């Protein structure tokens, strides 16, 4: 997330303290307040977040957030069973779609990952990802953005396990961003109004 690297929580227009990145653009406010850091479950929902975090690699999250609905339309709402059946014609369509990020490696990884996951039993992706959630009692609340890591031992382990099972574009930084977004960890700052709501 982009903001001052050592920034503490700051007040928004409503006077409530928030993580600085959550106030950096209007688009971020609702995402920060109601979604980021809240627990996400379900194979398709987690597949979507995994794909979007991979597409975000090397870009700002706001670029992805502003295109999320077009991503959903392009990838059949990230239903694993549907994306797994995409053909070369679909791939060509995706690479020509200006509403998404037309990165060949990321598109190919999304399609390949769906094919891998389609062979898993229902609930396996959810169970696997959540098995790497650290004990919240052992994680002090970050006071400033400089206290928030980019990777952790858990994200390295999750990345390693996902790769071992055949998934692509799931490095430890992407894995940690997934963990943050899906509520496996609560990286809202200690004084942030969204922290208690996130878990």
């Amino acid at each position: 997330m982009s903001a001052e690297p050592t920034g503490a929580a700051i007040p928004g227009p409503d006077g409530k303290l928030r993580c600085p990145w959550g106030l950096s653009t209007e688009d971020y406010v609702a995402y920060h307040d109601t979604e980021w850091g809240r627990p996400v479950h379900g194979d398709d929902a987690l597949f979507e977040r995994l794909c979007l975090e991979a597409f975000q690699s090397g870009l700002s999250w706001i670029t992805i957030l502003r295109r999320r609905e077009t991503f959903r339309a392009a990838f059949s709402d990230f239903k694993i069973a549907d994306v797994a059946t995409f053909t070369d014609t679909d791939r060509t369509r995706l690479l020509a779609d200006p509403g998404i990020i037309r990165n060949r490696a990321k598109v190919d990884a999304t399609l390949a990952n769906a094919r891998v996951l389609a062979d898993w039993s229902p609930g396996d992706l959810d169970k696997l990802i959540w098995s790497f959630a650290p004990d919240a009692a052992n994680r002090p609340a970050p006071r400033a953005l400089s206290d928030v890591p980019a990777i952790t031992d858990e994200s390295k382990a999750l990345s390693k396990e996902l790769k071992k099972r055949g998934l692509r574009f799931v490095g430890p930084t992407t894995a940690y961003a997934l963990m943050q977004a899906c509520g496996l960890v609560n990286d809202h700052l200690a004084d942030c109004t969204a922290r208690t709501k996130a878990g």
Side-chain angles (χ1 to χ4, degrees):
M1 303 298 175
S2 61
E4 290 300 317
T6 59
I10 57 175
D14 57 5
K16 294 179 180 178
L17 292 174
R18 289 181 176 85
C19 303
W21 67 264
L23 291 167
S24 59
T25 74
E26 287 184 27
D27 304 82
Y28 271 149
V29 178
Y31 177 70
H32 168 274
D33 288 0
T34 65
E35 189 172 349
W36 192 77
R38 306 281 178 99
V40 174
H41 286 282
D43 293 345
D44 290 340
L46 287 166
F47 175 61
E48 175 185 352
R49 302 321 194 279
L50 190 62
C51 293
L52 293 180
E53 293 296 347
F55 273 103
Q56 184 270 332
S57 180
L59 304 169
S60 67
W61 177 246
I62 195 65
T63 302
I64 305 301
L65 187 62
R66 288 175 175 163
R67 298 177 185 215
R68 185 158 57 169
E69 291 309 315
T70 53
F71 266 106
R72 286 173 172 165
F75 286 98
S76 297
D77 286 325
F78 291 98
K79 291 185 176 73
I80 294 169
D82 291 348
V83 179
T85 67
F86 278 19
T87 64
D88 285 343
T89 301
D90 292 301
R91 179 178 180 272
T92 300
R93 167 183 60 81
L94 292 166
L95 292 173
D97 187 342
I100 66 168
I101 305 302
R102 294 175 288 181
N103 178 294
R104 188 177 308 276
K106 294 176 183 180
V107 168
D108 287 346
T110 301
L111 303 185
N113 289 348
R115 292 183 194 112
V116 169
L117 293 171
D119 288 334
W120 293 19
S121 297
D124 277 359
L125 180 61
D126 189 306
K127 183 178 178 181
L128 174 67
I129 288 175
W130 276 91
S131 73
F132 288 89
D135 182 355
N138 295 328
R139 298 186 86 249
R143 305 294 310 176
L145 293 180
S146 57
D147 298 330
V148 178
I151 60 173
T152 62
D153 288 343
E154 293 87 0
S155 78
K156 291 179 196 174
L158 173 57
S159 169
K160 184 177 179 180
E161 186 62 26
L162 290 171
K163 289 178 181 178
K164 177 181 170 185
R165 295 183 182 222
L167 299 185
R168 294 156 47 184
F169 252 97
V170 287
T173 302
T174 295
Y176 192 65
L178 174 77
M179 294 171 78
Q180 292 175 302
C182 296
L184 281 76
V185 296
N186 185 350
D187 276 346
H188 283 286
L189 302 184
D191 295 330
C192 176
T193 188
R195 182 169 180 83
T196 53
K197 295 174 186 174

